[in-house]
Amino acid sequence: MGSLLSRLLASRPMAGAGPTMVVKDLVLIGGGHSHVIVLKSFAMKPMPGVRLTLVTRDVHTPYSGMLPGFVAGHYTYDDCHIDLRPLAELTNARLLHCCASGLDLVNRSVTLADGRPPIRYDVLSIDIGITPLQSVEGARELTFPVKPIDSFTKRWDALRSRILSLAPGSSVRVVVVGGGAGGVELLLAMQHRLQQDCLKSHVDASFVLVTRGELLPTHNARVRSILRRILRERGVQVIDAAVVAVRRRRGKGGRDQGSPEGVVSSRSSNWESGVEGGPPLEGSGFTQEWLVQEAHGVVVHGGVLVLEGGEEVEFDECVWCTQGGAASWLSQTGLALDNAGFIRVGDTLESISHKGVFAVGDIHSSDIYPRPKAGVFAVRQGMPLAENLRRALMEHPLKPFKPQSTFLSLISTGDKYAVFSRGSLAFEDGLMWTLKDRIDRAFMRQFSQLPAMPSPPAPTIPVAHTAGPEALLALKSLPMRCGGCGSKVGSSLLARVLSRLAALPSRPPGRPEILLGLDSPDDGAVMEIPPDRMGGNQKPVIVQTVDFFRSFLADPYTFGRIAALHALSDCFAMGADPVSALAIVTLPFGTEEKVEEELFQLMAGAIRELDAATCQLVGGHTVEGPELSLGFAVTGLAEKDRLLRKAGMCVGDSIILTKPIGTGGRWVDGAIGSMLVSNQKAAAIALQHEATAATDVTGFGLIGHLVEMTNASRVTVSIDPSTVPILDGALECTQGGIFSSLQDSNLRLRRAISNYEEASTHPLTSLLFDPQTAGGLLLSVPHARATQCLLALHSGGYPAAAVIGRVVSLTEEACGGPSVTIECNQ
């Protein structure tokens, strides 16, 4: 997993590429249309000395123009989503998969959610879209919003699943609230797709559009007339009235399906929480108690729209597609906002109140050129924004931008038919859909077919001249950076970082075993083992391990977390309690300010995991180098008689793997999430269930580490590849010929497989050799304890844990002979 991620995520410059230096930080909050264009611009024309950072809630950003086509079934997920990882990689930008939650405009930093430390900026741009504005009583609890669009695809899939789960002969009423172009287009797309679904499942579906005032008010009368006729022909009921409340429907179940009363889903538990532009609204959970209870596939209470005048409209599914609002956290930033909470900008797209802060897309508000909130304007702002961000970084005058006053709209009707709208013009035809499809696909090709960028020669850094004398001095010394001890990071910088780390909230007290550590620095840390450390007559033993590798992520905080967990894992695998850690760090060249911030972000992530494991950071060594690298030497204590080792497997034991293997493509987030799951609890569960042997699965892959166990234990084992848990996308990558650079080396261990020729035909066999970073534990557990061990792992946070094989027999050979059989007939 680690080596494959290295190839997929981060083509970092190698040692021979020469040093580079960070002088200024450009931070982009949000992965909206304008920002993807900015990223592409900086990829095509890099700005030496400028480090880009993209803070985004979702790594796959949707193109709003293709959303109705996706809903209607004309596009796949990949067709209408831009994968930001390869785009950020092309730009050499750091991608932080997290949420912004505030700004410190005085110290020029962005506050991040999930306990991460703030990141600093020199120039900032905000493109976070809008959040649902469901101010009507009951709307938040009983309907779901279209905005933010990047979360809608999940909600749409859930809605389809609920309807498909209905019994034959049931009926369902789908209501869309909102009569703008977005609401009309979405309803017709939903109708097109759901009618096909309902035809197959023998469910009767009806559709209602509720609009307050004129339908499609921003379009001409001819367009409105055409779409009213289409809605009428499609059997859509259009109600012209304002919704004043949404209430739970009395009685049992949804329409005619007889669902049990009182069954609710758990969607309220932190749904889409903490996002920079979306739910939860005003800090609350986003409750939708009428949803399906996933475990049982049961539809529960729908709801009732209460209209002006008292009329009621019952629904089973209600989609809210009205005008959205601004993220609530913006009101606490001090930025100038309009009455609706959107960021006010001038004609250069820069905030009217704070220099160096820009806003674009739906989140911006222009006093000079007010425009409706539509994706076309965000797309057109992309290149002018990129130009002015470059100018701001160089402290050059900004260029004004005047958006177009009218724009082309192609409103799809679900069935590859569309209505042309521009100014007073209106046409309808299947050719209009073809035109829309070509325009949308051409836009997406800019970001799906990325060119291979050659490595540039050692750059000059013009932006350094605007960053002060320190940057100029650092630039002057860049070609002659010292090696040896001259490459160490300065002591004052280290002292500041250590002070900031000590000030992080919720830090635990130091361990009593540490006599000398960072709080009293010396030439070495000193640890004392209390005589009663293990209790009774048990004698503690010291377990020492070390791990170190180059970064495969552009996010130093997350990389720091993974590196710490990876290093700690060896201690956990041996049943040891990690006590202390020494850090080994290589930091890219930069000004002192930038190097300090990079080190702080890196170690803040590492400290988070070390603290969680009650492992005290007692020191380390930090040097300059061409790329970010991190490792730890970890010291732990264990009971000698309860030490877990690779040796010890017994005939009849069940073999358990605690975490899935493999990764790739747009599924990388799942792999990172798996890496961030600590093995500490799994090791404790293994000891509780009398595990006979253990190791962690890392660079040598599942087979490599299993063979280490079989050789040490002198046993043969049988593995069923169909039971090995794998991450989403792993099989697709191997079938597409995407493998780790370490795969060929790991494959040399195929000699340890007794039936490799037969096993090589199994589609999952190649994944058994895939290198992992911070992988799971591989356990040998007595067969009689395996079921309970597995249940404990599942409830303990390892839902993918599985029995993947068994220990078959003893062998006389200590090593070298085949010891693994892969079962291929199951």
Side-chain angles (χ1 to χ4, degrees), residues 486-523:
S487 66
K488 292 175 67 172
V489 171
S491 60
S492 58
L493 185 156
L494 285 173
R496 290 196 300 271
V497 171
L498 291 174
S499 176
R500 293 172 66 185
L501 291 172
L504 287 172
S506 304
R507 293 294 310 280
R511 293 192 59 130
E513 297 93 339
I514 306 301
L515 299 183
L516 293 177
L518 288 176
D519 54 347
S520 52
D522 212 304
D523 287 337

Side-chain angles (χ1 to χ4, degrees), residues 798-809:
Y798 307 90
V803 174
I804 64 169
R806 66 190 190 282
V807 181
V808 176
S809 64

Side-chain angles (χ1 to χ4, degrees), residues 92-217:
N92 202 27
R94 300 189 301 180
L95 190 152
L96 309 190
H97 189 190
C98 60
C99 307
S101 58
L103 299 178
D104 181 345
L105 295 169
V106 175
N107 295 308
R108 302 178 77 83
S109 67
V110 180
T111 305
L112 303 176
D114 192 30
R116 294 178 62 127
I119 59 167
R120 294 179 178 173
Y121 67 85
D122 294 289
V123 174
L124 175 70
S125 181
I126 305 172
D127 183 13
I128 59 175
I130 55 180
T131 195
L133 194 60
Q134 295 168 289
S135 56
V136 173
E137 176 191 352
R140 294 183 186 179
E141 293 75 24
L142 295 171
T143 73
F144 76 74
V146 173
K147 297 293 182 80
I149 290 174
D150 42 17
S151 302
F152 175 77
T153 54
K154 299 173 186 175
R155 301 194 287 272
W156 166 242
D157 287 342
L159 184 151
R160 286 190 67 214
S161 296
R162 292 193 294 274
I163 292 178
L164 287 169
S165 70
L166 296 176
S170 301
S171 63
V172 61
R173 176 181 287 171
V174 180
V175 175
V176 173
V177 177
V184 172
E185 203 171 14
L186 183 62
L187 182 141
L188 291 170
M190 291 172 63
Q191 183 190 48
H192 178 79
R193 185 70 170 274
L194 292 175
Q195 283 184 336
Q196 296 177 46
D197 293 340
C198 291
L199 186 64
K200 296 175 184 176
S201 57
H202 304 287
V203 172
D204 179 38
S206 60
F207 298 84
V208 179
L209 179 68
V210 178
T211 178
R212 180 177 63 182
E214 185 62 71
L215 193 71
L216 290 100

Side-chain angles (χ1 to χ4, degrees), residues 380-401:
R380 295 297 178 90
Q381 288 170 338
M383 290 308 296
L385 173 66
E387 172 66 19
N388 276 340
L389 291 175
R390 293 177 188 274
R391 288 176 169 270
L393 288 161
M394 292 296 297
E395 300 181 7
H396 291 170
L398 305 182
K399 294 179 68 173
F401 164 67

Side-chain angles (χ1 to χ4, degrees), residues 552-746:
F552 54 89
L553 289 174
D555 176 357
Y557 181 84
T558 301
F559 173 58
R561 292 182 62 190
I562 292 172
L565 285 169
H566 186 84
L568 290 166
S569 185
D570 283 331
C571 260
F572 298 146
M574 298 195 74
D577 173 27
V579 176
S580 67
L582 294 165
I584 312 105
V585 187
T586 302
L587 289 163
F589 306 109
T591 64
E592 187 168 300
E593 176 190 3
K594 301 304 179 186
V595 171
E596 176 184 337
E597 190 62 22
E598 184 88 344
L599 180 59
F600 173 67
Q601 293 289 330
L602 182 74
M603 294 309 300
I607 284 285
R608 173 172 172 171
E609 301 303 337
L610 293 173
D611 285 352
T614 63
C615 178
Q616 187 171 334
L617 182 68
V618 295
H621 192 77
T622 308
V623 298
E624 292 181 328
E627 58 185 348
L628 184 65
S629 301
L630 175 63
F632 294 91
V634 178
T635 299
L637 298 176
E639 297 179 29
K640 184 177 181 180
D641 296 339
R642 299 194 72 199
L643 201 63
L644 286 172
R645 299 182 58 194
K646 295 174 183 177
M649 302 177 91
C650 299
V651 174
D653 281 356
S654 294
I655 300 171
I656 294 176
L657 180 63
T658 63
K659 294 203 288 188
I661 61 173
T663 188
R666 64 175 173 87
W667 301 272
V668 161
D669 290 337
I672 293 172
S674 182
M675 293 181 202
L676 292 172
V677 176
S678 171
N679 284 327
Q680 187 169 25
K681 186 178 289 187
I685 292 170
L687 284 169
Q688 291 165 9
H689 291 83
E690 301 176 357
T692 57
T695 190
D696 58 335
V697 180
T698 54
F700 299 151
L702 176 61
I703 289 294
H705 292 287
L706 179 60
V707 168
E708 288 180 333
M709 296 176 74
T710 60
N711 287 344
S713 303
R714 298 195 178 190
V715 296
T716 64
V717 300
S718 177
I719 297 296
D720 180 359
S722 66
T723 63
V724 175
I726 63 172
L727 288 161
D728 290 343
L731 189 57
E732 288 84 346
C733 278
T734 57
Q735 290 175 340
I738 301 175
F739 294 99
S740 160
S741 57
L742 195 58
Q743 183 84 359
D744 288 343
S745 177
N746 285 354

